[in-house]
Short mmCIF file of all heavy atoms in Angstrom, two decimals:
data_model
loop_
_atom_site.label_atom_id
_atom_site.label_comp_id
_atom_site.label_asym_id
_atom_site.label_seq_id
_atom_site.Cartn_x
_atom_site.Cartn_y
_atom_site.Cartn_z
N ALA A 14 4.87 -27.19 16.98
CA ALA A 14 5.25 -26.01 17.75
C ALA A 14 4.19 -25.59 18.76
O ALA A 14 4.46 -24.82 19.64
CB ALA A 14 5.52 -24.84 16.80
N ALA A 15 2.98 -26.08 18.65
CA ALA A 15 1.92 -25.68 19.56
C ALA A 15 1.14 -26.91 19.99
O ALA A 15 0.78 -27.75 19.17
CB ALA A 15 0.99 -24.67 18.89
N PRO A 16 0.88 -27.08 21.29
CA PRO A 16 0.16 -28.25 21.77
C PRO A 16 -1.29 -28.22 21.29
O PRO A 16 -1.89 -27.17 21.11
CB PRO A 16 0.24 -28.10 23.28
CG PRO A 16 0.43 -26.64 23.51
CD PRO A 16 1.23 -26.15 22.36
N ALA A 17 -1.84 -29.40 21.10
CA ALA A 17 -3.25 -29.48 20.70
C ALA A 17 -4.13 -29.07 21.86
O ALA A 17 -3.82 -29.32 23.02
CB ALA A 17 -3.57 -30.91 20.26
N PRO A 18 -5.26 -28.43 21.57
CA PRO A 18 -6.16 -28.02 22.64
C PRO A 18 -6.79 -29.22 23.32
O PRO A 18 -6.99 -30.27 22.70
CB PRO A 18 -7.21 -27.18 21.90
CG PRO A 18 -7.19 -27.69 20.51
CD PRO A 18 -5.78 -28.07 20.25
N ARG A 19 -7.11 -29.06 24.59
CA ARG A 19 -7.77 -30.15 25.29
C ARG A 19 -9.17 -30.35 24.72
O ARG A 19 -9.83 -29.41 24.32
CB ARG A 19 -7.88 -29.81 26.79
CG ARG A 19 -6.53 -29.74 27.49
CD ARG A 19 -6.73 -29.39 28.94
NE ARG A 19 -5.46 -29.24 29.62
CZ ARG A 19 -5.35 -28.90 30.90
NH1 ARG A 19 -6.43 -28.63 31.61
NH2 ARG A 19 -4.15 -28.78 31.46
N ARG A 22 -12.39 -27.89 24.85
CA ARG A 22 -11.98 -26.52 25.12
C ARG A 22 -11.52 -25.86 23.83
O ARG A 22 -10.81 -26.47 23.03
CB ARG A 22 -10.83 -26.49 26.13
CG ARG A 22 -11.20 -27.08 27.48
CD ARG A 22 -10.06 -26.95 28.47
NE ARG A 22 -9.73 -25.56 28.73
CZ ARG A 22 -8.73 -25.18 29.55
NH1 ARG A 22 -8.00 -26.09 30.16
NH2 ARG A 22 -8.49 -23.90 29.73
N PRO A 23 -11.93 -24.60 23.60
CA PRO A 23 -11.51 -23.93 22.36
C PRO A 23 -10.02 -23.65 22.35
O PRO A 23 -9.40 -23.46 23.40
CB PRO A 23 -12.32 -22.62 22.39
CG PRO A 23 -12.62 -22.40 23.84
CD PRO A 23 -12.76 -23.76 24.44
N ALA A 24 -9.43 -23.65 21.17
CA ALA A 24 -8.00 -23.38 21.04
C ALA A 24 -7.72 -21.93 21.41
O ALA A 24 -8.50 -21.03 21.10
CB ALA A 24 -7.57 -23.65 19.60
N ARG A 25 -6.60 -21.70 22.08
CA ARG A 25 -6.23 -20.36 22.49
C ARG A 25 -5.69 -19.58 21.30
O ARG A 25 -4.92 -20.09 20.50
CB ARG A 25 -5.16 -20.45 23.59
CG ARG A 25 -4.75 -19.10 24.15
CD ARG A 25 -3.82 -19.30 25.35
NE ARG A 25 -2.59 -19.97 24.94
CZ ARG A 25 -1.52 -19.34 24.48
NH1 ARG A 25 -1.52 -18.02 24.34
NH2 ARG A 25 -0.43 -20.01 24.14
N ILE A 26 -6.11 -18.33 21.18
CA ILE A 26 -5.63 -17.46 20.12
C ILE A 26 -4.31 -16.84 20.57
O ILE A 26 -4.18 -16.35 21.70
CB ILE A 26 -6.66 -16.37 19.80
CG1 ILE A 26 -7.95 -17.00 19.31
CG2 ILE A 26 -6.12 -15.41 18.74
CD1 ILE A 26 -7.82 -17.81 18.06
N ALA A 27 -3.30 -16.85 19.69
CA ALA A 27 -1.98 -16.33 20.03
C ALA A 27 -2.03 -14.85 20.38
O ALA A 27 -2.83 -14.09 19.84
CB ALA A 27 -1.02 -16.56 18.86
N THR A 28 -1.15 -14.44 21.31
CA THR A 28 -1.08 -13.04 21.73
C THR A 28 -0.78 -12.13 20.55
O THR A 28 -1.31 -11.01 20.46
CB THR A 28 0.01 -12.88 22.80
OG1 THR A 28 -0.28 -13.74 23.89
CG2 THR A 28 0.06 -11.45 23.31
N THR A 29 0.08 -12.60 19.65
CA THR A 29 0.41 -11.79 18.47
C THR A 29 -0.83 -11.49 17.64
O THR A 29 -1.01 -10.37 17.14
CB THR A 29 1.45 -12.52 17.60
OG1 THR A 29 2.64 -12.73 18.37
CG2 THR A 29 1.79 -11.72 16.35
N VAL A 30 -1.71 -12.48 17.48
CA VAL A 30 -2.93 -12.29 16.70
C VAL A 30 -3.82 -11.24 17.36
O VAL A 30 -4.36 -10.34 16.70
CB VAL A 30 -3.70 -13.62 16.56
CG1 VAL A 30 -5.02 -13.41 15.83
CG2 VAL A 30 -2.84 -14.65 15.82
N LEU A 31 -3.96 -11.32 18.69
CA LEU A 31 -4.80 -10.37 19.42
C LEU A 31 -4.22 -8.95 19.37
O LEU A 31 -4.96 -7.96 19.22
CB LEU A 31 -4.97 -10.81 20.86
CG LEU A 31 -5.68 -12.16 21.06
CD1 LEU A 31 -5.73 -12.53 22.53
CD2 LEU A 31 -7.09 -12.12 20.47
N SER A 159 2.28 -17.44 13.83
CA SER A 159 1.97 -17.56 15.26
C SER A 159 0.92 -18.62 15.53
O SER A 159 0.59 -18.86 16.69
CB SER A 159 1.45 -16.21 15.79
OG SER A 159 2.37 -15.18 15.55
N THR A 160 0.39 -19.26 14.48
CA THR A 160 -0.77 -20.14 14.64
C THR A 160 -0.53 -21.49 13.99
O THR A 160 -0.01 -21.55 12.87
CB THR A 160 -2.00 -19.47 13.97
OG1 THR A 160 -2.15 -18.14 14.47
CG2 THR A 160 -3.26 -20.26 14.27
N PRO A 161 -0.89 -22.59 14.66
CA PRO A 161 -0.79 -23.90 14.02
C PRO A 161 -1.61 -23.96 12.74
O PRO A 161 -2.68 -23.35 12.66
CB PRO A 161 -1.37 -24.85 15.08
CG PRO A 161 -1.18 -24.14 16.38
CD PRO A 161 -1.36 -22.68 16.05
N GLU A 163 -3.66 -26.01 11.33
CA GLU A 163 -5.04 -26.48 11.35
C GLU A 163 -6.00 -25.48 12.00
O GLU A 163 -7.21 -25.67 11.99
CB GLU A 163 -5.14 -27.83 12.07
CG GLU A 163 -5.01 -27.77 13.59
CD GLU A 163 -3.56 -27.69 14.06
OE1 GLU A 163 -2.66 -27.64 13.19
OE2 GLU A 163 -3.33 -27.70 15.28
N ARG A 164 -5.47 -24.37 12.56
CA ARG A 164 -6.34 -23.38 13.19
C ARG A 164 -6.18 -21.99 12.56
O ARG A 164 -6.64 -21.00 13.12
CB ARG A 164 -6.05 -23.30 14.69
CG ARG A 164 -6.35 -24.60 15.43
CD ARG A 164 -6.57 -24.38 16.91
NE ARG A 164 -5.39 -23.89 17.61
CZ ARG A 164 -4.49 -24.67 18.21
NH1 ARG A 164 -4.64 -25.97 18.17
NH2 ARG A 164 -3.46 -24.15 18.84
N ARG A 165 -5.54 -21.91 11.41
CA ARG A 165 -5.24 -20.60 10.84
C ARG A 165 -6.49 -19.86 10.37
O ARG A 165 -6.58 -18.64 10.52
CB ARG A 165 -4.25 -20.74 9.68
CG ARG A 165 -2.81 -20.85 10.14
CD ARG A 165 -1.86 -21.01 8.99
NE ARG A 165 -0.49 -21.12 9.46
CZ ARG A 165 0.46 -21.78 8.82
NH1 ARG A 165 0.18 -22.40 7.69
NH2 ARG A 165 1.69 -21.84 9.30
N ARG A 167 -9.40 -19.89 11.60
CA ARG A 167 -10.04 -19.31 12.79
C ARG A 167 -9.26 -18.11 13.30
O ARG A 167 -9.84 -17.09 13.68
CB ARG A 167 -10.15 -20.37 13.89
CG ARG A 167 -10.82 -19.86 15.17
CD ARG A 167 -11.08 -21.01 16.13
NE ARG A 167 -11.68 -20.52 17.36
CZ ARG A 167 -11.00 -20.23 18.47
NH1 ARG A 167 -9.67 -20.37 18.47
NH2 ARG A 167 -11.60 -19.80 19.55
N ALA A 168 -7.91 -18.22 13.31
CA ALA A 168 -7.09 -17.09 13.76
C ALA A 168 -7.29 -15.87 12.88
O ALA A 168 -7.44 -14.74 13.37
CB ALA A 168 -5.62 -17.49 13.79
N VAL A 171 -10.60 -14.35 13.71
CA VAL A 171 -10.57 -13.50 14.92
C VAL A 171 -9.96 -12.14 14.60
O VAL A 171 -10.48 -11.09 15.00
CB VAL A 171 -9.77 -14.20 16.04
CG1 VAL A 171 -9.48 -13.25 17.19
CG2 VAL A 171 -10.53 -15.42 16.55
N GLY A 225 5.38 -15.79 18.83
CA GLY A 225 5.61 -16.96 19.64
C GLY A 225 5.11 -18.21 18.95
O GLY A 225 4.09 -18.20 18.28
N GLY A 226 5.84 -19.31 19.13
CA GLY A 226 5.40 -20.58 18.57
C GLY A 226 5.35 -20.60 17.06
O GLY A 226 4.35 -20.99 16.47
#
Side-chain angles (χ1 to χ4, degrees):
R19 294 180 183 178
R22 298 184 62 181
R25 183 173 63 87
I26 298 299
T28 303
T29 299
V30 176
L31 297 177
S159 304
T160 308
E163 74 279 3
R164 297 202 295 268
R165 278 179 180 151
R167 181 171 178 265
V171 168

